[in-house]
Amino acid sequence: MARKSKGFGELQKLQQRKQAEQKGLEKLQHKVESGAWGNNFAGMIANPKGEVKMSEVLEAFVEPYLDETHTYQERKKLFTLAVAAWNLGRALKPFDPPQPSLKRREPNRSKSPF
């Protein structure tokens, strides 16, 4: 019998991990929806297709600094700092309400007093 490659085994583990993660999210969603606040979360989409996951965005955000971390605790602090920075940036971003467009009025030349 042929041996499976190391890459195949890693791919299989990754797929199993994703399935377990999805099952856990579905279980949590069901628990929240059946609770007292369930109406507020009805129809919530956990992982919309085609959208980038927030975890991937955070990984890209801290990637330049990952080489500076050597322990789990240091990485955890780095990601915590990244989340705080992200949230502060969003909270402090000024709200720009849509402005009505101001059109320049052309002078009415047809009604000349002369």
Side-chain angles (χ1 to χ4, degrees), residues 3-108:
R3 257 181 72 184
K4 295 178 183 172
S5 70
K6 182 179 179 182
F8 179 78
E10 290 174 3
L11 180 61
Q12 196 172 20
K13 284 181 184 179
L14 179 64
Q15 288 174 339
Q16 290 171 348
R17 199 174 314 133
K18 282 188 175 190
Q19 287 174 349
E21 178 184 311
Q22 186 62 35
K23 189 175 181 180
L25 285 173
E26 289 171 1
K27 186 177 178 182
L28 175 63
Q29 185 175 3
H30 176 69
K31 187 175 182 179
V32 169
E33 287 176 351
S34 63
W37 290 66
N39 293 335
N40 295 332
F41 296 97
M44 181 178 74
I45 301 172
N47 288 325
K49 294 195 184 297
E51 295 295 323
V52 180
K53 294 173 69 175
M54 190 63 203
S55 59
E56 293 171 355
V57 172
L58 276 173
E59 284 176 358
F61 189 61
V62 301
E63 193 271 328
Y65 309 101
L66 283 176
D67 290 341
E68 304 296 322
T69 61
H70 304 290
T71 66
Y72 171 78
Q73 302 299 348
E74 290 175 345
R75 282 186 177 223
K76 187 174 179 180
K77 287 177 185 178
L78 177 63
F79 275 94
T80 300
L81 181 63
V83 169
W86 182 276
N87 289 338
L88 277 172
R90 297 297 297 158
L92 297 176
K93 182 178 178 186
F95 175 69
D96 295 326
Q99 299 293 322
S101 63
L102 298 175
K103 293 183 179 179
R104 185 176 171 199
R105 286 184 59 188
E106 295 293 325
N108 190 347

